[in-house]
Amino acid sequence: MKFFEKAFPLFKNLAFSVDPERAHELTIKSMKMVGPWLSDDHESIFKDDCFRINAMGLSFQGPFGLAAGLDKNAEAVSFLTHLPFSFVEVGTVTPLPQIGNSKPRLWRYVEEESLRNSMGFNNLGSDAILKNITLSDRREKILGVNLGKNKITPNQDAAQDYAFLYEKFAPHVDYLVINVSSPNTPGLRDLLRDSGLRDIFTAVSLKRSLRPRPVLVKVSPDMSEEELSAVVALVKEFEISGIIATNTTIIKELGAGGVSGKILFEKSKKTRNFLLASLRETPQIELIGVGGFSKYDDLVDFWKNGGRLVQLYSAFIFQGPALIYNWEKKLNEDFKKVGATSFEEFQQSL
Ligand SMILES: Cc1cc2nc3c(=O)[nH]c(=O)nc-3n(C[C@H](O)[C@H](O)[C@H](O)COP(=O)(O)O)c2cc1C
């Protein structure tokens, strides 16, 4: 058993006895302190090339990634890349530093292994986060950055924020994500509709032609099929590399903010399956799955439907590093069972 797998239950008892946001801050601080002292994980099965997934011109060591919002300021990259994540997404970063919404803004639903947050893109801003990124040890893992607009930027100027961030971060990361699906910045989700997103894609594409990098767009589970289809059409038109599905969902009865974890799973899965079907004829466009994954069977179901890369957030909070070590073990056993020598072969065997 790995050290962090053993230490997690004790750590969780402590962390869950304090306010959720305070616990989060303490966790990031601890990871930031320990991270640089950790060695690469030589025991990881993902050292073996058969688990590689080639997507968007990048080569991922395996299918598991960390979703945006956990390491908003890129402070714990050295720790997180020590775990069997093949990719870590930091941010959301906005051009200027932002304090976010008023507290409390993070709530736990322990029984349901779910969270609700109304953070509102609290982050140190693009200068500080870029510095953290350039100083972090990525251990040959893939690093993505999730981009958002400042709250004070009116929607009609949002494209400028995204283009500015693309230009600033593209030389330093492996992929970038246009995030217009957070429920916690007033009016942000309106940008998912055609003209807002078209303006953003136009501005970002201009910068992208000078410094090409994979770009994805992160969508909301609260969008209708018509709205999703409009996004897919734009993604195809602008040769966007992929879609991340999904962000958190609004459940009014629970209160302000967005809900993640098990409660989100079915809604998020429905969005993912619709998108996977819409993208069947364009395999060069990747669909990264996120939203409520908490069991290995959830992943198998996603892989059966044609998805490959998955991201975690809430399940990682409730189950800790043991979750990814277990999934790594299970995937290895499954590969052996069917004698797969590549992810494609494994996927075909499902
Ligand atoms: C506390 C918290 C903060 C988050 N912040 C961000 C963020 O800044 N940007 C973003 O794109 N997603 C953010 N998310 C959404 C996650 O990246 C993910 O899409 C969502 O939680 C669903 O995955 P899960 O069910 O595995 O948690 C946040 C989620 C949580 C719980």
Side-chain angles (χ1 to χ4, degrees):
M1 198 192 252
K2 311 268 172 136
F3 173 74
F4 294 112
E5 207 175 339
K6 245 191 296 191
F8 181 72
L10 186 69
F11 187 82
K12 185 179 171 186
N13 272 343
L14 276 172
F16 274 52
S17 66
V18 296
D19 160 75
E21 188 166 350
R22 184 83 193 109
H24 187 89
E25 286 162 5
L26 290 172
T27 309
I28 294 286
K29 255 191 200 138
S30 317
M31 294 198 275
K32 184 178 174 179
M33 219 158 58
V34 178
W37 301 97
L38 299 173
S39 64
D40 292 346
D41 186 357
H42 295 292
E43 288 168 45
S44 173
I45 62 161
F46 297 129
K47 295 278 163 193
D48 189 333
D49 276 349
C50 71
F51 298 98
R52 281 205 175 263
I53 293 172
N54 295 314
M56 309 180 291
L58 301 171
S59 179
F60 294 75
Q61 287 179 10
F64 313 133
L66 182 78
L70 193 134
D71 188 9
K72 284 182 185 280
N73 297 312
E75 294 170 289
V77 173
S78 309
F79 180 93
L80 294 163
T81 52
H82 168 80
L83 301 177
F85 287 123
S86 69
F87 62 118
V88 168
E89 191 173 310
V90 297
T92 295
V93 53
T94 54
L96 300 171
Q98 206 168 264
I99 56 168
N101 295 326
S102 57
K103 296 179 185 176
R105 53 190 183 180
L106 180 57
W107 298 267
R108 300 185 188 103
Y109 300 91
V110 178
E111 293 276 289
E112 295 87 356
E113 288 191 16
S114 297
L115 297 166
R116 176 165 57 88
N117 88 85
S118 63
M119 309 298 285
F121 291 167
N122 54 310
N123 76 106
L124 297 176
S126 58
D127 285 341
I129 294 177
L130 181 60
K131 193 164 162 220
N132 287 345
I133 284 177
T134 53
L135 293 175
S136 61
D137 181 357
R138 306 175 193 186
R139 305 175 196 281
E140 295 173 31
K141 305 289 183 71
I142 286 180
L143 187 72
V145 64
N146 185 297
L147 315 176
K149 74 163 192 77
N150 275 118
K151 188 177 177 183
I152 54 164
T153 305
N155 270 7
Q156 66 267 27
D157 298 336
Q160 287 163 27
D161 274 12
Y162 290 97
F164 168 84
L165 291 166
Y166 181 93
E167 188 173 33
K168 189 160 185 164
F169 284 92
H172 306 281
V173 296
D174 299 302
Y175 72 85
L176 302 98
V177 181
I178 295 170
N179 180 8
V180 280
S181 53
S182 163
N184 300 316
T185 296
L188 189 78
R189 285 179 173 202
D190 295 342
L191 293 170
L192 273 166
R193 304 215 177 87
D194 189 60
S195 70
L197 202 55
R198 176 177 288 282
D199 290 350
I200 295 170
F201 283 177
T202 303
V204 168
S205 295
L206 211 65
K207 303 289 179 189
R208 194 179 176 205
S209 62
L210 304 172
R211 172 77 74 163
R213 280 282 181 278
V215 174
L216 299 97
V217 60
K218 187 163 178 178
V219 299
S220 150
D222 302 326
M223 294 167 75
S224 67
E225 293 190 350
E226 291 71 38
E227 287 170 327
L228 291 170
S229 296
V231 170
V232 168
L234 280 179
V235 161
K236 289 180 181 171
E237 181 184 334
F238 283 86
E239 295 181 3
I240 298 298
S241 321
I243 301 179
I244 302 190
T246 67
N247 215 313
T248 55
T249 181
I250 293 174
I251 302 178
K252 284 210 180 86
E253 307 82 73
L254 292 181
V259 177
S260 57
K262 282 187 181 176
I263 297 177
L264 165 66
F265 181 68
E266 285 303 326
K267 218 186 246 187
S268 193
K269 178 176 158 179
K270 197 164 165 242
T271 305
R272 281 191 290 272
N273 285 344
F274 179 79
L275 290 170
L276 284 168
S278 309
L279 296 171
R280 205 143 279 156
E281 305 304 315
T282 45
Q284 75 279 13
I285 301 173
E286 192 67 23
L287 190 279
I288 299 185
V290 57
F293 289 112
S294 65
K295 309 186 297 292
Y296 185 74
D297 285 351
D298 299 339
L299 306 181
V300 173
D301 182 65
F302 179 63
W303 293 330
K304 270 187 189 163
N305 280 307
R308 300 186 294 172
L309 299 165
V310 291
Q311 291 180 321
L312 295 181
Y313 190 137
S314 302
F316 184 62
I317 302 293
F318 289 98
Q319 300 183 46
L323 176 73
I324 332 165
Y325 289 124
N326 285 339
W327 285 359
E328 188 191 32
K329 213 165 89 198
K330 282 198 170 126
L331 186 68
N332 194 23
E333 286 165 6
D334 278 0
F335 261 62
K336 288 208 172 113
K337 230 185 275 168
V338 295
T341 58
S342 68
F343 199 85
E344 286 69 34
E345 275 180 29
F346 164 67
Q347 209 167 15
Q348 278 157 18
S349 76
L350 295 173

